[in-house]
Amino acid sequence: MTLPSRSNGIKVCHVCSSHRSDDSRVFHKECRSLAQEGYEVHLIATDKNVNSYDSSNVRIHPLPAQRSRFQRLSRRWKVADIAARLSADLYHVHEPELLGPVLDRVGNRPVIYDAHESYADVLGQRRWIPRPFRPLATALWKKIEPRLVRKCRAVITVTEPLAEPYLRMHECVEIIRNFPDLSGGEFTVVPAHERRQSCVFAGSLVEDRNLKNMVLAIGLLRKRNIILELWLAGEWESPAYQEAIQNLAAKEGVANQVRYSGILSHKEAVMLESQASIGMVTLLPIRNSLNSLPIKAFECMALGLPIVYSDFPLLQTYIGKHSVGLAVDPHDTVQIADALEYLLENTHIAQEMGQMGRRAVEEKYNWSCEGARLLDLYREILGPRSLTA
């Protein structure tokens, strides 16, 4: 039976400010899964459009791109007011600064807090906060967050370590991992002989993604007479950081090997990744990354790419046993370069790793089970419903 869109009369609203409307987790997984199940789904998120529109049976309410962090914080009450005017039966909040305003504006309607990461850890690492004030910002959030969380109907997070503090705050905490959704046909495996000799990272281009050591590794390979392109896509942390990476590439003599494709849609980013030969997930070991499962690792696995990834214990627990790539010390540029060289020179092993990664995603690390948990949580909160054909 094909479920009709918006058939059950239950309206839900996902609320964002900085997330884009085509965000991999928020839109492509959560919102679309709910819409396919028959919920009337609304999403407030950053979008280039001005007027509301429908996409995959999800109603998008566009916000203009934020020009600064101050703008993101200053418009949180406006975003909450937009959400409240929709009079949804349930609100699903994806950013910590929106949690208080949404709870205040929507009254006694149920709210789910989707904690994608540990915001306390993030505050302790943000360069835009002056270093002396970071401990104060972290301590203040740790004091405020439990009070807000207790007002929510449930908390969603993405890994076991990230769930631990919330289990002390709330009785309903659900782990819904950010695995790829294979149902849409986006993750098509390109034959190895059709891929370019390149490694790829598509995501937020910030310092903890370790772009510096990626560039240095490409430079080391060049000195070994191995030419490997580095493909980057996403939003830069700042113009100054982009310039620093470009200057480093020029200094290393690899400026023509580092290709930046701009800010891409989710579909475009996946297509870019599919054309590369190696996925790069060499994040630096800051606390927030140590406790997370980077979606880029699983996306590259879904595309049949071998990956070079940071040797974090949590990540090793999930994928280390599947032989999907090579784990490295992300601080060790030589080790990163050696791993890349090994995969380039041992193409049959690289192909086997890619196949193992694809198989692991097909059998275990995909959105199917995670989406089912999301739907179960919604049913638990909103009660049983009846769909008509």
Side-chain angles (χ1 to χ4, degrees):
M1 179 181 71
T2 301
L3 296 177
S5 63
R6 304 182 181 181
S7 62
N8 64 1
I10 299 178
K11 182 191 293 188
V12 300
C13 178
H14 284 243
V15 191
C16 305
S17 179
S18 67
H19 283 76
R20 290 166 52 190
S21 60
D22 71 338
D23 181 83
S24 171
R25 176 178 176 86
V26 179
F27 174 73
H28 285 278
K29 298 188 184 83
E30 294 182 332
C31 287
R32 288 175 61 183
S33 294
L34 291 162
Q36 289 167 6
E37 187 68 7
Y39 290 97
E40 179 182 337
V41 184
H42 295 254
L43 169 61
I44 302 169
T46 299
D47 191 282
K48 63 183 179 181
N49 291 288
V50 175
N51 299 316
S52 298
Y53 66 96
D54 289 326
S55 178
S56 298
N57 287 330
V58 176
R59 186 70 172 172
I60 308 294
H61 302 271
L63 297 172
Q66 55 192 15
R67 294 186 296 272
S68 67
R69 296 181 183 88
F70 175 77
Q71 183 188 57
R72 171 178 168 176
L73 293 173
S74 64
R75 74 178 184 185
R76 63 193 188 277
W77 289 100
K78 177 182 178 181
V79 173
D81 286 337
I82 295 171
R85 286 197 294 271
L86 291 172
S87 299
D89 298 292
L90 180 148
Y91 291 90
H92 192 138
V93 178
H94 292 271
E95 289 159 18
E97 73 271 13
L98 295 175
L99 190 54
V102 170
L103 284 165
D104 180 80
R105 291 294 193 259
V106 305
N108 61 358
R109 296 175 187 266
V111 173
I112 294 174
Y113 177 39
D114 203 327
H116 300 194
E117 57 190 358
S118 169
Y119 194 52
D121 290 338
V122 169
L123 287 172
Q125 297 152 3
R126 283 294 182 252
R127 297 176 65 187
W128 56 270
I129 302 177
R131 187 176 295 274
F133 294 103
R134 292 176 197 169
L136 178 61
T138 299
L140 183 60
W141 178 247
K142 285 184 175 180
K143 183 176 181 180
I144 294 172
E145 185 180 38
R147 177 173 55 83
L148 296 175
V149 165
R150 282 192 285 268
K151 294 180 180 179
C152 296
R153 189 65 61 88
V155 177
I156 293 174
T157 190
V158 292
T159 66
E160 293 84 352
L162 289 175
E164 287 180 7
Y166 293 107
L167 289 168
R168 296 191 290 269
M169 302 178 201
H170 206 285
E171 61 182 9
C172 184
V173 178
E174 189 70 51
I175 299 172
I176 299 179
R177 298 164 188 84
N178 200 21
F179 293 150
D181 183 0
L182 301 181
S183 65
E186 291 175 301
F187 293 95
T188 301
V189 177
V190 174
H193 68 273
E194 295 183 11
R195 296 177 185 155
R196 292 274 296 278
Q197 184 159 300
S198 59
C199 56
V200 62
F201 177 80
S204 298
L205 302 180
V206 298
E207 187 174 8
D208 60 40
R209 299 312 193 254
N210 205 13
L211 305 185
K212 175 183 175 181
N213 283 340
M214 292 184 198
V215 172
L216 290 173
I218 298 300
L220 280 175
L221 290 178
R222 186 178 182 86
K223 293 171 184 174
R224 301 175 189 175
N225 296 316
I226 299 172
I227 304 301
L228 178 69
E229 291 185 348
L230 170 61
W231 295 353
L232 302 173
E235 185 174 0
W236 289 93
E237 177 181 319
S238 66
Y241 182 58
Q242 180 178 8
E243 184 179 0
I245 294 300
Q246 290 171 337
N247 290 342
L248 177 63
K251 180 181 176 183
E252 293 295 311
V254 295
N256 63 335
Q257 294 170 229
V258 179
R259 190 178 89 185
Y260 175 57
S261 297
I263 300 174
L264 304 179
S265 68
H266 177 259
K267 183 177 181 179
E268 291 168 336
V270 170
M271 186 173 296
L272 177 71
E273 291 167 338
S274 73
Q275 300 298 318
S277 51
I278 301 170
M280 297 297 291
V281 200
T282 52
L283 309 184
L284 292 175
I286 61 173
R287 184 171 178 180
N288 196 49
S289 294
L290 288 169
N291 291 331
S292 67
L293 292 173
I295 180 57
K296 293 303 166 186
F298 297 94
E299 285 187 351
C300 289
M301 288 164 57
L303 292 166
L305 272 64
I307 59 175
V308 177
Y309 62 98
S310 299
D311 56 357
F312 300 161
L314 182 63
L315 194 51
Q316 287 274 47
T317 297
Y318 273 81
I319 66 174
K321 59 188 175 184
H322 294 286
S323 300
V324 301
L326 298 174
V328 297
D329 177 352
H331 286 301
D332 192 330
T333 307
V334 174
Q335 202 174 123
I336 296 172
D338 289 346
L340 291 168
E341 182 178 0
Y342 180 85
L343 293 173
L344 292 173
E345 291 188 345
N346 297 275
T347 55
H348 65 290
I349 295 177
Q351 289 177 26
E352 289 176 358
M353 289 178 170
Q355 291 167 1
M356 291 288 286
R358 174 69 185 196
R359 188 176 303 121
V361 172
E362 287 177 340
E363 296 177 353
K364 192 171 185 179
Y365 303 131
N366 60 74
W367 178 249
S368 178
C369 292
E370 308 306 309
R373 278 196 286 273
L374 176 69
L375 295 174
D376 286 344
L377 178 62
Y378 268 61
R379 293 187 190 103
E380 180 181 339
I381 293 173
L382 294 169
R385 57 187 177 80
S386 175
L387 291 177
T388 58

